[in-house]
């Protein structure tokens, strides 16, 4: 997924979008991104997904011990993937005025 400059449409590098304020390499427009806030929200979203997975496994297996083992292994990976997807889909670049 590529990020584009809202002014000229130039393709922005992912490392550049991680900065809160930066300049478009092509048109020199000052830009800002919501990366820091969305990263924090992605962590909260990951924790929520993990708790949801844990409670679903508890409901499915009927045992807290087995649900914890499955959640630590598979639920951790799934929660991190959900958080990364949330971050990528909600990150946006806007112009500074
Ligand atoms: Zn630009």
């Amino acid at each position: 997924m590529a990020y584009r400059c809202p002014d000229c449409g130039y393709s922005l590098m992912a490392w550049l979008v991680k900065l809160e304020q930066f300049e478009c390499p092509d048109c020199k427009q000052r830009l800002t991104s919501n990366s820091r806030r969305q990263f924090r929200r992605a962590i909260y979203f990951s924790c929520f997904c993990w708790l949801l997975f844990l409670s679903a496994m508890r409901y499915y297996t009927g045992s807290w011990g087995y649900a914890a083992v499955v959640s630590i292994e598979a639920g951790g990976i799934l929660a991190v993937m959900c958080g990364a997807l949330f971050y990528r889909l909600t990150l946006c670049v806007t112009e500074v005025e």
Side-chain angles (χ1 to χ4, degrees):
M1 185 176 164
Y3 303 105
R4 302 230 169 247
C5 172
D7 203 30
C8 67
Y10 184 79
S11 181
L12 300 166
M13 302 288 180
W15 66 267
L16 197 62
V17 177
K18 283 181 192 161
L19 304 172
E20 271 203 50
Q21 290 213 348
F22 54 96
E23 219 172 54
C24 174
D26 195 41
C27 67
K28 306 297 180 199
Q29 169 72 36
R30 288 180 58 218
L31 301 169
T32 184
S33 76
N34 58 354
S35 60
R36 189 170 290 193
R37 188 180 62 194
Q38 291 311 111
F39 185 74
R40 202 176 324 117
R41 284 181 178 173
I43 290 171
Y44 298 147
F45 186 71
S46 295
C47 293
F48 173 74
C49 288
W50 188 81
L51 287 173
L52 200 67
F53 188 84
L54 176 68
S55 53
M57 282 298 109
R58 167 68 177 93
Y59 179 77
Y60 182 70
T61 61
S63 154
W64 277 113
Y66 187 71
V69 168
V70 172
S71 295
I72 287 168
E73 291 178 7
I77 295 167
L78 192 73
V80 169
M81 287 168 71
C82 287
L85 189 68
F86 176 85
Y87 177 75
R88 296 289 288 191
L89 293 177
T90 57
L91 187 68
C92 66
V93 177
T94 53
E95 292 176 24
V96 177
E97 285 306 321

